């Protein structure tokens, strides 16, 4: 009985193995489990079919973009560079790892093109690009930012210099306002300082004087003290340092002649006195008018002169 079993094993081996296996296998030591494994291996090798195959490549409306279908279902979208690099044509076999890789690269390519479009209009900071891509709901933002930096399309120091020049030359803004704007755009203190080197003290003083002249032209019918207050306020809002403001006030003649200031007082005083006199109490109207004119920066001497003349008229 034992001899019959041993004589049957070689026939099973031959049925489940190829010629190469016949040469190397030891027929005397083989087991039925070995035969089973070799048979399964041969069956699987002969029936292996690709798991993922490209069945269609479709052109998008977007320029140089393509939809790729795998096993008759949409799988991912790529640009023309990836299409050529990976030779993505109908019938191409792909593995799962490659498909996932192409999904990520395809998404990043789309986000990259969106970023380039956003940069076409003007320079942008990293923060601005990130916010724009996030608003568009792109996911591969970090990769796009890295690529833009490598290509020099995001350069925070260059942006700082350009922004400073534009804002002090065209908008006559002071350094503090420019600094606040750059900080809001995501730049670091070092990058902001690098850009502000473009704005010299001479340029700051010149811009401050231009703004002062504009303010003076608008401040009619006001006291000298009120005019100075308005100028200080305007220069501070525009972002100029106190030192520059003080120097401007020293260098420029801000006070109007006494007669012009008195004419301005009369115009405001008449309106105030008329408003306060509606209740019929002339004394109260006089006191309230006096307080009002003093709050507007007029000196007591001119206020008393006006009220005396007002009494004389009545």
């Amino acid at each position: 009985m034992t001899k019959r079993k041993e004589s049957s094993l070689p026939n099973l081996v031959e049925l489940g193995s190829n010629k190469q296996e016949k040469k190397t296998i030891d027929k005397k030591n083989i087991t039925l489990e070995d035969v089973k494994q070799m048979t399964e291996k041969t069956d699987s090798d002969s029936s292996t079919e690709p798991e993922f195959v490209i069945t269609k490549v479709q052109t998008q409306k977007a320029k140089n973009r393509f939809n790729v279908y795998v096993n008759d279902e949409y799988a991912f979208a790529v640009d023309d560079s990836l299409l050529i690099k990976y030779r993505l044509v109908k019938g191409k076999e792909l593995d799962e790892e490659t498909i996932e890789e192409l999904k990520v690269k395809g998404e990043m390519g789309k986000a990259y093109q969106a970023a380039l479009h956003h940069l076409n209009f003007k320079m942008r900071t990293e923060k601005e690009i990130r916010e724009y891509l996030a608003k568009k709901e792109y996911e591969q933002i970090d990769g796009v930012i890295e690529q833009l930096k490598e290509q020099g399309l995001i350069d925070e120091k260059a942006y700082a210099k350009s922004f400073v020049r534009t804002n002090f030359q065209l908008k006559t803004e002071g350094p503090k306002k420019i600094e606040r704007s750059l900080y809001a755009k995501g730049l670091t203190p070092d990058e902001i300082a690098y850009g502000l080197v473009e704005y010299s003290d001479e340029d700051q003083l010149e811009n401050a004087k231009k703004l002062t002249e504009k303010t003076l032209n608008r401040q009619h019918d006001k006291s000298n003290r009120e005019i100075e207050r308005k100028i200080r306020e305007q220069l501070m809002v525009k972002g100029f340092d106190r030192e520059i403001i003080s120097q401007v006030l020293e260098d420029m003649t801000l006070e109007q002649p006494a007669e012009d200031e008195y004419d301005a007082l009369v115009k405001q005083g008449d309106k105030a006195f008329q408003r306060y006199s509606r209740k019929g109490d002339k004394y109260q109207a006089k006191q309230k008018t006096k307080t009002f004119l003093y709050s507007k920066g007029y000196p007591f001497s001119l206020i008393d002169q006006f009220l005396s003349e007002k009494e004389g008229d009545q």
Side-chain angles (χ1 to χ4, degrees):
M1 294 293 290
T2 305
K3 289 182 180 180
R4 289 179 182 176
K5 289 183 179 179
E6 290 178 347
S7 62
S8 65
L9 288 175
N11 295 328
L12 291 173
V13 172
E14 290 174 1
L15 288 173
S17 63
N18 57 30
K19 293 180 180 179
Q20 182 64 31
E21 289 171 333
K22 290 178 188 177
K23 293 179 182 179
T24 58
I25 197 162
D26 185 350
K27 295 180 180 180
K28 293 182 179 180
N29 297 324
I30 194 168
T31 66
L32 287 172
E33 183 64 27
D34 293 330
V35 174
K36 181 179 180 182
Q37 290 178 0
M38 286 186 290
T39 304
E40 290 176 349
K41 179 178 184 301
T42 302
D43 292 342
S44 63
D45 289 344
S46 62
S47 62
T48 298
E49 294 182 0
E51 187 176 358
F52 302 106
V53 179
I54 295 177
T55 51
K56 183 169 67 173
V57 178
Q58 182 183 58
T59 304
Q60 288 188 2
K61 291 182 179 180
K63 187 178 180 181
N64 300 327
R65 294 282 297 175
F66 301 86
N67 294 328
V68 178
Y69 290 77
V70 174
N71 297 349
D72 295 322
E73 293 185 359
Y74 171 79
F76 52 84
V78 295
D79 57 27
D80 52 357
S81 64
L82 288 174
L83 193 77
I84 295 170
K85 180 179 178 180
Y86 286 83
R87 298 179 181 179
L88 302 176
V89 296
K90 185 177 179 179
K92 171 87 172 183
E93 298 177 12
L94 301 174
D95 55 39
E96 191 170 358
E97 183 180 351
T98 302
I99 291 175
E100 291 304 314
E101 180 183 348
L102 286 168
K103 284 181 179 180
V104 172
K105 289 185 176 181
E107 175 68 15
M108 192 169 79
K110 187 177 181 181
Y112 175 76
Q113 291 299 323
L116 287 183
H117 176 74
H118 197 47
L119 284 164
N120 278 338
F121 301 98
K122 64 176 183 178
M123 293 178 69
R124 311 278 185 179
T125 65
E126 177 181 340
K127 181 182 178 182
E128 289 175 319
I129 294 293
R130 284 186 178 277
E131 289 176 346
Y132 175 77
L133 294 178
K135 186 177 180 180
K136 296 289 184 179
E137 297 185 349
Y138 290 110
E139 295 180 358
Q140 306 302 323
I141 297 177
D142 288 342
V144 172
I145 295 297
E146 188 64 30
Q147 189 175 356
L148 292 173
K149 284 183 176 180
E150 289 175 357
Q151 296 170 341
L153 297 176
I154 291 180
D155 186 333
E156 306 291 58
K157 286 188 174 181
Y159 181 93
K161 279 195 170 187
S162 175
F163 187 89
V164 170
R165 285 194 299 267
T166 299
N167 282 266
F168 89 72
Q169 291 174 357
L170 301 182
K171 298 183 180 180
T172 61
E173 291 182 349
K176 288 185 177 296
K177 185 172 183 179
I178 293 175
E179 181 180 353
R180 290 193 295 269
S181 298
L182 288 173
Y183 182 78
K185 291 177 178 292
L187 271 65
T188 66
D190 287 343
E191 291 163 346
I192 294 171
Y194 181 85
L196 285 173
V197 171
E198 298 290 302
Y199 202 175
S200 66
D201 290 344
E202 291 76 14
D203 289 328
Q204 293 179 40
L205 186 60
E206 182 181 350
N207 277 345
K209 287 182 177 180
K210 288 179 181 178
L211 286 171
T212 298
E213 289 173 355
K214 288 181 180 180
T215 304
L216 277 172
N217 292 333
R218 293 194 299 265
Q219 301 306 313
H220 300 298
D221 303 334
K222 288 184 174 63
S223 67
N224 289 331
R225 195 171 73 182
E226 178 73 359
I227 290 173
E228 181 178 332
R229 188 185 69 79
K230 287 287 186 182
I231 289 172
R232 284 184 180 275
E233 182 181 273
Q234 178 70 8
L235 292 177
M236 289 184 70
V237 168
K238 276 288 190 175
F240 288 94
D241 295 326
R242 293 184 182 276
E243 293 78 8
I244 293 293
I245 295 174
S246 297
Q247 189 171 346
V248 167
L249 295 178
E250 287 180 11
D251 294 347
M252 299 185 69
T253 302
L254 303 180
E255 290 189 1
Q256 56 188 326
E259 58 270 21
D260 291 342
E261 185 176 25
Y262 184 71
D263 288 343
L265 181 152
V266 169
K267 289 180 181 178
Q268 292 192 53
D270 281 340
K271 291 180 181 179
F273 190 81
Q274 183 178 1
R275 183 169 63 252
Y276 296 134
S277 297
R278 288 172 183 170
K279 294 183 178 181
D281 190 335
K282 299 299 182 182
Y283 176 78
Q284 288 294 327
K286 179 179 176 181
Q287 294 302 312
K288 288 182 179 180
T289 300
K290 186 174 184 178
T291 301
F292 169 77
L293 291 173
Y294 183 74
S295 70
K296 292 297 181 180
Y298 293 103
F300 278 124
S301 58
L302 293 183
I303 296 172
D304 290 339
Q305 179 182 343
F306 165 73
L307 293 175
S308 296
E309 291 176 357
K310 203 71 178 172
E311 281 187 6
D313 293 339
Q314 297 174 6

